[in-house]
Amino acid sequence: MTAEERRNLHAFRDYVIKTLDPAYILSYMAPWFKDDEVQYIQAEKNNKGTMEAASLFLKCLLELQEEGWFRGFLDALGHAGYSGLYEAIESWNFQKMESLEEYRLLLKRLQPEFKTTVNPNDILPKISECLISQECEEIIQICSNKGLMAGAEKMVECLLRSDKENWPKTLKLALETEESKFSQLWIVDKGNVELKVLEDEEIETSEVQIFYKEEPECQNLSQDPCPPSVASTCTPLKPRNYQLELALPAKEGKNTIICAPTGCGKTFVALLICEHHLKKFPQGQKGKIVFFAIQIPVYEQQNSVFSKYFERLGYKVAGISGATSENISVEQIVENNDIIVLTPQILVNCLRNGTIPSLSVFTLMIFDECHNTSKHHPYNMIMFNYLDQKLGGSSDPLPQVVGLTASVGIGDAKNTMEAMEYICKLCASLDTSVIATVKDNLEELEEIVYKPQKFFRKVESRTTDRFKCIISQLMRETESLAKNIFDELGTITLENVSQIQNRNFGTQKYEQWIVSVQKACMVFQLPNKDEESRICKALFLYTSHLRKYNDALIINEHARMKDALDYLKDFFTDVRAAGFDEIEQHLTYRFEEKLQELESISMDLSNENPKLKDLSFILQEEYHLNPESRTILFVKTRALVDALKKWIEENSELSFLKPGILTGRGKTNHNTGMTLPAQKCALDAFRTDGDKKILIATSVADEGIDIAQCNLVILYEYVGNVIRMIQTRGRGRARGSKCFLLTSNADVIKKEKLNIYKEKIMNDSILSLQMWNEAVFKEKVLQIQIQEKNIRDSQEKVELVPDKENKKLLCRKCKAFACYTADIRVVEECHYTVVGDAFTKCFVSKLHPKPKSFGHFEKRAKIFCARRNCGHDWGIHVKYKTFEIPVIKIESFVVEDIATGAQKLYAKWKDFPFEKIPFGMGDLERRNEPQWVVMARFYQHVSVT
């Protein structure tokens, strides 16, 4: 930096101080600021305010002598979203920012009225482009925690600091859209500003209105990619050379896999490709792009990125996920937008039902995390459709295909030749002829992307484990009781029962055995149906208890005995609240006999888990070196997520970390996953809340989630294939990042080291393939595609023909009769209810612990099997529009063929090929009774616990 630039920055310091919140860029300035300086600036903000902190930040900045700090400061502004300040400093022209001063003065005068009349939640989505993303998240958080007035006050504070030239007009449009009373005070008519004093009777709370006169718009849009109304706000980020290198083959129209490390800006590369693609079409033609993201948090993230980038350029962007698809027309969204961000199953469904007739409606498809394109993954289902069109001789044009990944993987390959074959198959699946990696600008890439240091920590397990001994004894007793049931049957036996011996308690393998036995039990049949019901119910209970004991041993192995015991105590509390028959009473009695001893053992400090000691040491050491560290702790199961969260919160030396959690949305082993809003809230809190220093996550955080500040990744007994290794390692984005693998199993470390070796094989294989002649490579890909299509065609599943024969649904736990398939109706294509009064006698209800509304449904109660001492969960009771109906889940039932007596299990309704009759007007009429009758019947079934 020259002396003149230093003088200029000092001269324009007031603009910087009025605009900048240094908290948002400190993480990007880590290479130049000392830790104590960072802490001092943050303390200044907390104690004196943002402007004082910005003043101190600028003072420290101007005192720096290291090379590159000025460019680092500009880059930090760009990354954080200060596009106006970035542009002003780069050109040393602050005229645009100066022109905003009168609006700031006006907003300060109108602040009291703004606080009382504006709902920040309503207008925030419409003005978010004028604010820093972290400011938006803070406004949402304040609204939630402190109320709307506090949120509005924060919004004013943020707008007063906004460096976006168009924020006055954007605010006006947002206010008018929401029909806010405040819009009467904030009149913006694009152009020069005029102030008008109002009469008292016109409006009592303010004296000033703004008029903003609009300049004539340029009519020749081809001269400028930005529509004139937003041209002044388009300050495009400058792509780095390596990003241009990665984008080049795709910009040339080639189907491409872009393989580059996490954190290098592959999403920005995708934006460059999309922008080039949309602009290349001649007048009268239009491109249409679909961008796929697998994980919902990634979908949300990418939808936001694409919307902000392209809507400023005048293109329409829309997103559809499973959570939003029910209430919108996918066909209209695709037709009316230039870019559509999708979770892939949406398009699979649309291609299957004909809503989207062909992939030819798109001109470009981008697959995020494209290494997933294999087997029956939705990505591959989409590409099956593409390849059928390609190889079937269709004359319809096919879209260009671009894949993004940090690792193409090598499958089970053991050498370079096998790895090249695996990668060729991936290219064939995506119909790509180019693998783009950074070669010419590798030095620049390595300056930007920080590959975390990898550390392996082998720790010892407990030398003695009295808790495991006691639980194992309870499991052996439960197994013995289950075996007695089989002995009663004599020669009649169940598949897999003979394998009950030689199973290791507390392992995933043991759980797999339990699941297989449970499935066999559920469809087990005897001539005497009462005896069948008794035996199936007994085996269901024994195996359920074994499964919970097994879960507790896994928690005990990796967390505290206390957490494992709490898990079991919660389970037995639920058991008491349900049917609680003689078997459950006996099993509960046996557990409670041991409870006092288990409590004593779990409180004994000498039984502390050595793994937790080592994990605590790592965390304390890293936060001592860098108090601002941000950590993601990866674990295998949701139960372990909860256990480690409790451990950190209750540990006086670690509680300052204030852990957040991130798990999947699905339901496994009777544990409900996080809802989408909860996932978003957890991610936002980790990104923006400086107090939330650690995020404990399952594999949902493996791929694509952008947390740039993270500098510490801990894999706690967590290992997978080479793709997972690269993905999880890539969560550590910040300079000086570290990645620890902590395990008591030497085989886990061996597997991870093997993954490192496989990564080298993968990189060597890509280099070899890049040296192939492109025509030769295309021919290789084509031959694989033809071969795979032949295999696919020969194995094509026969379309399931709906079975119109009436069938019974029996309780999966006790085999009690529930209903006939003839009485089942489909509501809004994916929910299943039972019509007729007979079914209401088969279940009992309890008020739902978490009632909520979704779409036309209002969840009110849970329904359970009415048979005495069963109480198996069958589903929920809802209010649908104006009608009270039960909604059942197929995984709670056994399906019995009336004619043959054969029984089957189905995990999903879509796999059950019965005649699915829509819920129609006739069914509505059957329920069209006075509301008091409906409610009386409903509450007759509800028992409040």
Side-chain angles (χ1 to χ4, degrees):
M1 179 186 182
T2 65
E4 183 182 357
E5 287 172 324
R6 194 184 294 271
R7 283 196 301 274
N8 285 345
L9 190 56
H10 187 271
F12 291 110
R13 65 193 307 272
D14 286 346
Y15 292 104
V16 178
I17 291 170
K18 286 179 182 177
T19 305
L20 181 67
D21 186 336
Y24 301 150
I25 70 167
L26 281 174
S27 60
Y28 300 109
M29 296 297 294
W32 293 279
F33 277 30
K34 296 175 183 175
D35 290 347
D36 56 349
E37 289 176 325
V38 171
Q39 292 175 28
Y40 191 14
I41 292 166
Q42 289 175 330
E44 191 79 353
K45 178 182 177 180
N46 294 337
N47 297 327
K48 297 183 181 179
T50 304
M51 289 183 66
E52 286 76 12
S55 179
L56 177 60
F57 171 85
L58 200 58
K59 178 177 179 293
C60 297
L61 190 71
L62 290 167
E63 289 172 356
L64 290 172
Q65 300 300 322
E66 291 88 346
E67 274 295 313
W69 68 264
F70 181 70
R71 174 46 56 186
F73 172 52
L74 282 178
D75 287 348
L77 291 176
H79 287 308
Y82 287 103
S83 54
L85 191 55
Y86 177 102
E87 182 185 357
I89 293 174
E90 193 173 49
S91 62
W92 298 117
N93 183 349
F94 286 77
Q95 189 173 350
K96 290 179 180 177
M97 295 188 66
E98 178 64 31
S99 67
L100 294 172
E101 189 58 29
E102 52 200 331
Y103 303 113
R104 294 194 183 102
L105 291 172
L106 181 63
L107 187 57
K108 283 181 182 177
R109 294 180 65 180
L110 299 178
Q111 185 177 17
E113 183 71 5
F114 190 98
K115 284 168 54 180
T116 56
T117 59
V118 173
N119 184 332
N121 286 330
D122 290 341
I123 70 165
L124 183 59
K126 300 172 182 64
I127 67 166
S128 60
E129 65 179 21
C130 301
L131 305 175
I132 304 297
S133 59
Q134 288 163 287
E135 289 176 331
C136 296
E137 290 158 351
E138 287 174 10
I139 290 166
I140 293 168
Q141 200 167 20
I142 289 171
C143 287
S144 174
N145 296 339
K146 298 182 180 179
L148 295 179
M149 286 185 66
E153 190 171 12
K154 178 67 178 178
M155 181 175 281
V156 170
E157 178 189 326
C158 296
L159 285 169
L160 291 174
R161 280 202 306 273
S162 176
D163 62 346
K164 309 300 184 292
E165 187 187 14
N166 68 325
W167 74 257
K169 184 185 178 188
T170 304
L171 176 60
K172 174 61 179 174
L173 293 173
L175 293 167
E176 286 179 341
T177 302
E178 292 303 322
E179 300 180 349
S180 170
K181 292 180 182 178
F182 191 81
S183 66
Q184 298 170 15
L185 306 178
W186 193 258
I187 298 180
V188 179
D189 214 356
K190 218 177 174 190
N192 301 319
V193 179
E194 299 175 4
L195 300 183
K196 174 186 173 185
V197 179
L198 300 181
E199 300 298 330
D200 287 347
E201 61 267 25
E202 287 185 82
I203 192 157
E204 298 177 357
T205 53
S206 179
E207 302 174 340
V208 183
Q209 285 186 328
I210 289 185
F211 295 88
Y212 197 136
K213 293 179 182 176
E214 187 161 326
E215 298 296 328
E217 292 189 352
C218 170
Q219 296 303 311
N220 186 359
L221 300 184
S222 64
Q223 293 177 357
D224 192 339
C226 301
S229 62
V230 294
S232 61
T233 70
C234 293
T235 50
L237 294 171
K238 292 180 181 177
R240 301 183 189 276
N241 290 329
Y242 73 79
Q243 291 173 324
L244 293 172
E245 181 184 351
L246 288 170
L248 183 60
K251 288 170 82 172
E252 292 174 347
K254 296 176 181 177
N255 286 5
T256 307
I257 290 177
I258 295 171
C259 184
T262 300
C264 74
K266 288 191 291 295
T267 300
F268 185 52
V269 173
L271 294 175
L272 295 175
I273 293 167
C274 292
E275 185 177 353
H276 177 271
H277 182 83
L278 291 171
K279 288 178 181 176
K280 77 177 184 180
F281 286 89
Q283 192 168 2
Q285 296 182 28
K286 286 181 69 176
K288 193 173 292 290
I289 298 169
V290 59
F291 184 99
F292 299 109
I294 302 166
Q295 301 275 15
I296 289 290
V298 181
Y299 155 82
E300 292 282 342
Q301 175 181 290
Q302 303 299 55
N303 188 28
S304 173
V305 169
F306 272 76
S307 296
K308 287 179 181 176
Y309 188 90
F310 282 103
E311 286 177 359
R312 295 182 184 189
L313 299 176
Y315 296 109
K316 294 180 180 178
V317 180
I320 316 171
S321 70
T324 61
S325 62
E326 285 184 23
N327 301 320
I328 58 178
S329 166
V330 178
E331 190 176 15
Q332 287 184 7
I333 292 289
V334 171
E335 185 178 339
N336 297 333
N337 289 276
D338 303 298
I339 301 173
I340 303 95
V341 183
L342 286 179
T343 46
Q345 189 62 44
I346 299 293
L347 185 56
V348 173
N349 295 344
C350 289
L351 289 169
R352 192 175 287 154
N353 63 30
T355 305
I356 304 295
S358 162
L359 292 174
S360 296
V361 300
F362 304 110
T363 56
L364 172 62
M365 300 194 300
I366 300 181
F367 294 82
D368 196 22
E369 310 298 350
C370 68
H371 53 266
N372 290 291
T373 313
S374 64
K375 298 180 181 176
H376 294 287
H377 190 278
Y379 277 1
N380 222 18
M381 305 307 288
I382 291 166
M383 287 308 299
F384 286 168
N385 189 293
Y386 174 104
L387 293 170
D388 286 347
Q389 192 172 330
K390 174 187 174 180
L391 300 174
S394 171
S395 59
D396 292 337
L398 285 166
Q400 183 184 354
V401 177
V402 174
L404 308 175
T405 184
S407 167
V408 293
I410 63 169
D412 297 324
K414 298 176 180 62
N415 53 52
T416 304
M417 289 300 294
E418 291 178 6
M420 288 170 66
E421 189 66 25
Y422 178 89
I423 296 168
C424 283
K425 284 187 176 180
L426 178 64
C427 291
S429 295
L430 286 161
D431 196 35
T432 52
S433 56
V434 177
I435 304 171
T437 59
V438 178
K439 293 192 285 186
D440 297 339
N441 299 281
L442 201 54
E443 191 174 324
E444 182 192 40
L445 175 67
E446 289 170 349
E447 287 176 5
I448 301 302
V449 178
Y450 312 116
K451 189 174 179 179
Q453 292 175 272
K454 189 86 177 236
F455 300 92
F456 300 95
R457 299 287 287 247
K458 170 73 168 64
V459 294
E460 299 303 318
S461 295
R462 297 181 181 91
T463 51
T464 58
D465 193 338
R466 180 64 186 148
F467 182 94
K468 184 175 182 178
C469 291
I470 294 172
I471 298 301
S472 296
Q473 180 56 38
L474 289 171
M475 291 178 79
R476 280 190 288 270
E477 290 177 11
T478 307
E479 280 188 347
S480 178
L481 291 168
K483 208 155 183 10
N484 290 340
I485 297 289
F486 299 126
D487 292 341
E488 287 181 37
L489 299 174
T491 56
I492 304 173
T493 186
L494 279 168
E495 187 183 357
N496 296 320
V497 171
S498 58
Q499 303 171 28
I500 201 166
Q501 301 301 326
N502 304 319
R503 296 281 177 182
N504 292 323
F505 297 143
T507 63
Q508 296 292 330
K509 201 169 184 180
Y510 188 83
E511 178 169 349
Q512 290 164 9
W513 172 79
I514 290 171
V515 170
S516 66
V517 172
Q518 279 188 332
K519 285 182 178 178
C521 291
M522 289 168 188
V523 293
F524 176 67
Q525 291 178 270
L526 287 173
N528 185 324
K529 292 303 174 184
D530 288 338
E531 188 68 1
E532 176 188 316
S533 174
R534 181 186 70 80
I535 287 172
C536 287
K537 182 183 170 188
L539 293 175
F540 181 92
L541 293 174
Y542 291 139
T543 51
S544 295
H545 281 68
L546 286 170
R547 191 172 189 174
K548 290 296 179 180
Y549 281 137
N550 193 65
D551 288 346
L553 288 182
I554 293 173
I555 296 170
N556 175 63
E557 172 66 22
H558 302 311
R560 298 177 298 180
M561 290 179 179
K562 175 182 180 298
D563 301 312
L565 184 57
D566 286 346
Y567 180 82
L568 287 175
K569 285 160 69 176
D570 288 344
F571 168 67
F572 279 101
T573 299
D574 291 341
V575 169
R576 281 185 172 278
F580 207 51
D581 69 0
E582 290 180 10
I583 292 174
E584 290 171 311
Q585 290 172 28
H586 174 73
L587 293 173
T588 304
Y589 172 74
R590 289 293 296 130
F591 171 73
E592 290 178 345
E593 272 189 327
K594 303 290 184 182
L595 184 56
Q596 188 172 350
E597 185 179 0
L598 290 168
E599 294 270 20
S600 176
I601 293 167
S602 68
M603 299 304 291
D604 187 343
L605 295 179
S606 66
N607 289 322
E608 185 179 356
N609 196 327
K611 291 184 194 177
L612 294 182
K613 284 184 181 179
D614 206 60
L615 178 57
S616 177
F617 173 79
I618 291 170
L619 289 169
Q620 289 184 63
E621 185 74 10
E622 292 304 316
Y623 279 90
H624 175 73
L625 294 171
N626 179 8
E628 297 307 312
S629 287
R630 312 283 281 173
T631 304
I632 300 183
L633 174 61
F634 283 102
V635 299
K636 285 190 288 191
T637 66
R638 293 175 187 168
L640 198 51
V641 167
D642 295 334
L644 289 179
K645 181 176 186 287
K646 285 173 64 178
W647 168 68
I648 290 174
E649 289 172 337
E650 295 172 13
N651 187 320
S652 59
E653 294 173 324
L654 297 176
S655 57
F656 73 94
L657 296 175
K658 296 187 177 174
I661 65 170
L662 183 66
T663 66
R665 300 176 66 215
K667 186 175 179 181
T668 60
N669 196 15
H670 306 293
N671 293 321
T672 303
M674 292 181 79
T675 62
L676 176 58
Q679 285 182 333
K680 289 170 67 177
C681 184
L683 278 170
D684 291 345
F686 185 61
R687 286 187 181 119
T688 61
D689 187 346
D691 290 338
K692 297 275 186 185
K693 298 181 183 295
I694 188 169
L695 185 69
I696 310 170
T698 55
S699 59
V700 71
D702 267 1
E703 296 184 351
I705 294 173
D706 182 16
I707 307 169
Q709 307 95 320
C710 178
N711 64 316
L712 179 61
V713 174
I714 301 176
L715 310 177
Y716 190 73
E717 294 286 4
Y718 186 95
V719 69
N721 57 23
V722 64
I723 293 173
R724 174 171 282 188
M725 179 194 75
I726 293 169
Q727 294 285 357
T728 51
R729 181 183 68 198
R731 296 309 110 206
R733 300 284 184 89
R735 187 185 290 271
S737 298
K738 297 178 183 177
C739 180
F740 288 88
L741 171 61
L742 195 153
T743 179
S744 59
N745 187 345
D747 289 340
V748 170
I749 292 176
K750 285 180 185 176
K751 187 172 183 181
E752 191 73 350
K753 288 182 175 178
L754 179 61
N755 283 337
I756 293 172
Y757 171 67
K758 285 186 172 184
E759 183 182 10
K760 182 180 181 305
I761 291 178
M762 180 190 76
N763 292 331
D764 291 344
S765 301
I766 291 172
L767 284 172
S768 298
L769 289 170
Q770 287 172 331
M771 294 171 68
W772 283 24
N773 176 280
E774 192 171 329
V776 173
F777 190 78
K778 280 186 175 180
E779 182 60 29
K780 170 74 172 175
V781 163
L782 179 60
Q783 292 307 314
I784 293 173
Q785 289 173 343
I786 293 170
Q787 182 183 355
E788 291 293 318
K789 178 166 171 51
N790 289 337
I791 294 170
R792 198 161 61 245
D793 290 346
S794 67
Q795 297 175 342
E796 196 123 296
K797 285 185 178 178
V798 178
E799 195 70 34
L800 290 174
V801 178
D803 186 348
K804 297 186 178 183
E805 293 297 321
N806 202 7
K807 302 216 171 6
K808 289 181 183 178
L809 260 62
L810 311 178
C811 175
R812 196 173 279 200
K813 180 177 177 180
C814 73
K815 294 290 186 76
F817 172 78
C819 66
Y820 292 104
T821 53
D823 294 326
I824 296 176
R825 298 291 183 270
V826 187
V827 187
E828 295 193 359
E829 297 186 357
C830 57
H831 305 290
Y832 292 77
T833 188
V834 183
V835 297
D837 289 338
F839 182 64
T840 62
K841 298 171 185 175
C842 298
F843 68 83
V844 294
S845 306
K846 293 182 181 178
L847 291 175
H848 203 287
K850 296 179 181 178
K852 69 172 185 178
S853 298
F854 53 98
H856 295 121
F857 297 87
E858 183 184 334
K859 184 161 59 175
R860 294 191 165 195
K862 290 180 70 68
I863 63 174
F864 304 89
C865 176
R867 177 172 279 189
R868 185 173 175 270
N869 296 330
C870 179
H872 189 48
D873 183 358
W874 281 3
I876 58 175
H877 212 289
V878 303
K879 181 179 180 181
Y880 173 62
K881 297 182 178 177
T882 59
F883 306 96
E884 301 288 339
I885 59 171
V887 175
I888 60 173
K889 47 189 180 181
I890 191 61
E891 62 264 35
S892 296
F893 300 95
V894 174
V895 177
E896 182 176 281
D897 188 295
I898 296 174
T900 65
Q903 295 181 350
K904 283 189 177 181
L905 302 176
Y906 295 97
K908 298 178 180 178
W909 282 108
K910 68 177 183 180
D911 299 328
F912 180 17
F914 73 106
E915 186 177 22
K916 297 178 170 92
I917 305 170
F919 189 63
M921 288 306 298
D923 303 307
L924 293 174
E925 287 164 8
R926 290 171 67 178
R927 295 181 173 274
N928 196 9
E929 300 166 311
Q931 189 66 15
W932 70 269
V933 175
V934 174
M935 298 305 292
R937 183 183 296 115
F938 170 66
Y939 286 110
Q940 188 178 11
H941 283 84
V942 174
S943 57
V944 182
T945 56

